[in-house]
Every structure is written in structure tokens, then in C-alpha cells.
Amino acid sequence: MVEHDLAHLEKPWRDLEARAGGTVFQSYDWCRAWIEANREVGHRERLHLLSLYAGDRLVLVMPLALRRLGPFKVLHMLGEPATQYGDWLVEPGPNRETWIAGAWETLMGLRGVDALILKGVRDDAAIAPLLASRCGGRVTRREESPLSDFRPDAAGGPMRPRSGRTRSTLRRHQRDLAEHGAVTIELVRDPAERVAAMREALRLKQAWITRTRRISAGYAHPANALFLEKLAAGPDFLVARISTGSETAALEAGTLRDGCYASLVQSYDERFAAHGPGRLLFWWMVEHAAEIGIEVLDFLAPAYPHKREWANAAMPVSDYVVPLRPGGYGTLAYVRHLRPRLKQWAERLRRLGTA
């Protein structure tokens, strides 16, 4: 069935999370924070919560929302553009594939929807096998999420120690940063202080976006800042800060859930950019992962070089546009062909403007 209200699903959703695991991006807390933030800033989200019950037990949920993309009506993951991984939360067991197939047929039969847009579908996602078999021709992007996997059975092998040259460079950066004041690195423990740190991180990020004339759909969304502040107040949120004297040099913030840390926000003060404070902060997190409780540090896509530097593994991810009606093919053409060209033109204009 398709439901349009989150509140009454809290207990069965949380119970399903405990059985199914999944990523933070399909958790009840993530979705609730997004809905509340949108409501408080006056931005409407039209919820389409695809749910499936076995008796009175919730066994599948896919949190979606309906938006317009030009003349088309499209379903996308709830929390887009903040949500990084698209998937269904599905209870494991012998009926899992049957439940997924049944929910998919419900989705394909929805009226008044032109297309389904799923971004960041990991290769190990619950829905990945179905999409690969039925929608392989609807992939609009393939990427990788770099990972620092500290588990003994990591697919990419154990974490390699930093080379002597790299460690020397990092120590030099730390010495240079110390010329501005004593360098301290800390986890922000108090919830209210985490919210304040998140506000500072967003201020620094916005300054960087303005300075470099970047275009960010995530940071431009009217609910984004309040959403991140709500997350920062929660128990599963982590904020790390590197300071020089009394000044913040860089901040790293994300969610830590079941040993997996998802890196959501990285920002730094331009005054200290030459000393690589963000890089120093990542170094500290990698070196202290066990103490922090991190088993997998997920840098998320795209796989930029500053992320790959710390990774010993990567998770392939794919974006899909699945037409449900004839208009959906227009959505597919726009996402696959026109939007990349528009981004290229915007990037050229940005470079001209910063030259």
C-alpha cells in the first residue's frame, strides 16, 4: 500500500529497522527530521510511503516523495537531495524477494506518476538485484563511494598505514597550523554544542560555495540547514573539530550508526586552507576510528581524490530513472542527456567567473 503519513508508522518502522538493518538514509529518524524541517520552513513534501505487511508486521517500507520536474511528476527518495543512498528497508528471510517483487508491481501501477528516480543505489542494496534485472537500461549515472573499512575481513584488504612521505607532509601541515595557535582536535559531545558546530560548519560551507561560485542542490534546498541541525541534536550524530587557538580550522560531521559513519558535511576556514585542516581531521579520524566506534568510514559518492586518499575499498552506486508512463521517457531523456549538458555549461560559466 501507499501511505501519506509518517506518524503512525513509527513503532513498526523502528521494529523493521532492528530486523532489517539498512542505511541511515531509510531510517525513521532520518525521514522524520526531513519532514519536520520541511514543514517548519514552509516547504511541502508530498509523501508516498510504500509499505508492505505480513499479517500485522511491517516487512517492507520505501520512503518516497512526489515532486514536479518541469511538466513531469516524479517519485524520488524521501530526503532528496540530502538522502545519499536509495533503497528499500526489507525484512530478511525466505519471502524477501517475493515481497520486493510485489511492492515493485504496486509501484509500477501507481497513477499520476510519470517516473521513478532512484539515486545512489548501492550494489548491495535490497533493491539492486531487481533493478539490475529489470531496469539495467535505465541507469543514468554510475559512481563509487570510497570507504575506509577497518574490519578484519574488509573486501579491499586491511587499511594501509600512511607512507612516510604522507605522514611527513601531514605533520608539516600541523606544525604550520600551530603557528596560528595551539592545535586541538576533539569530538563535540554535547547535543546543543553539536547544533552550534553544525551552524558554523554550514556558514563555512556557504562561504566556500559563494567564493567558488559552485551550485549545490543540497545546500540550496530551503530545509537543508534546519534538517542538519535536527540531525546534529540526535544521539547518532558525530561532529569532529580541529581548532587553532580559539579559532575553528575545519569541521567534519555525519551520522554514526551500527559502526558505520556516513560523512555528510566537511568545511574549513579559508584562512587556514593552505595547511590542509580538513585533511588533518580525516587523518585523525582514521587513526582514532576504533576509539570513536567507527568500523566503516563512508565518504559517500562522488569519489573525489581527497576521499580516495583514505580509502581501502569502494562501493559502486548507480542512479536510475524508471518511466512509469509515457511522460517518464521525457524525464529519462532530460536526466540522461539535457541535465549533464546544463551542468557542463554552468561549470564553464563558473570557471569564467572565477578566472
Side-chain angles (χ1 to χ4, degrees), residues 22-23 85 122 124 145-160 256-261 286 289-290 293-298 310-315:
T23 74
Y85 289 141
R122 295 165 53 113
D124 64 350
S145 293
L147 309 170
S148 291
D149 191 337
F150 304 100
R151 295 171 298 186
D153 58 347
M159 287 291 296
R160 299 183 302 274
L256 179 57
R257 181 184 176 90
D258 298 328
C260 182
Y261 175 75
V286 167
I294 298 175
E295 296 180 1
V296 178
L297 198 165
D298 189 342
W310 307 101
N312 65 334
M315 173 59 66

Side-chain angles (χ1 to χ4, degrees), residues 134-334:
R134 302 193 187 189
C135 307
R138 309 303 188 204
V139 174
T140 58
R141 182 192 68 142
R142 296 193 190 276
E143 250 294 355
E144 285 187 335
S145 293
L147 309 170
S148 291
D149 191 337
F150 304 100
R151 295 171 298 186
D153 58 347
M159 287 291 296
R160 299 183 302 274
R162 300 294 99 188
S163 68
R165 182 177 181 181
T166 297
R167 296 175 75 89
S168 294
T169 299
L170 291 167
R171 290 193 183 103
R172 185 179 71 251
H173 281 320
Q174 193 162 353
R175 289 194 300 270
D176 292 342
L177 187 61
E179 293 181 2
H180 299 273
V183 174
T184 57
I185 302 177
E186 61 178 338
L187 293 179
V188 182
R189 303 284 187 180
D190 181 74
E193 291 182 9
R194 286 202 303 269
V195 173
M198 176 55 69
R199 289 173 181 157
E200 183 178 22
L202 291 170
R203 177 182 60 79
L204 292 173
K205 178 64 76 171
Q206 189 58 55
W208 176 82
I209 290 172
T210 301
R211 184 170 62 252
T212 59
R213 302 191 180 187
R214 303 275 179 175
I215 298 174
S216 170
Y219 288 100
H221 193 283
N224 183 68
L226 183 57
F227 167 65
L228 288 170
E229 289 176 21
K230 287 180 178 293
L231 290 180
D236 294 336
F237 208 79
L238 185 151
V239 177
R241 173 166 52 205
I242 181 169
S243 304
T244 174
S246 61
E247 300 289 335
T248 296
L251 288 152
E252 163 64 32
T255 61
L256 179 57
R257 181 184 176 90
D258 298 328
C260 182
Y261 175 75
S263 173
L264 299 177
V265 179
Q266 313 89 39
S267 59
Y268 62 90
D269 192 313
E270 173 64 17
R271 293 175 297 168
F272 310 114
H275 311 313
R279 195 176 178 207
L280 289 171
L281 199 48
F282 274 147
W283 182 33
W284 180 85
M285 291 184 70
V286 167
E287 293 290 313
H288 294 82
E291 302 166 35
I292 299 171
I294 298 175
E295 296 180 1
V296 178
L297 198 165
D298 189 342
F299 293 97
L300 304 176
Y304 293 130
H306 75 273
K307 301 177 181 181
R308 287 190 180 277
E309 176 184 11
W310 307 101
N312 65 334
M315 173 59 66
V317 297
S318 303
D319 293 351
Y320 291 83
V321 174
V322 183
L324 306 185
R325 297 289 178 272
Y329 291 92
T331 306
L332 177 60
Y334 168 76

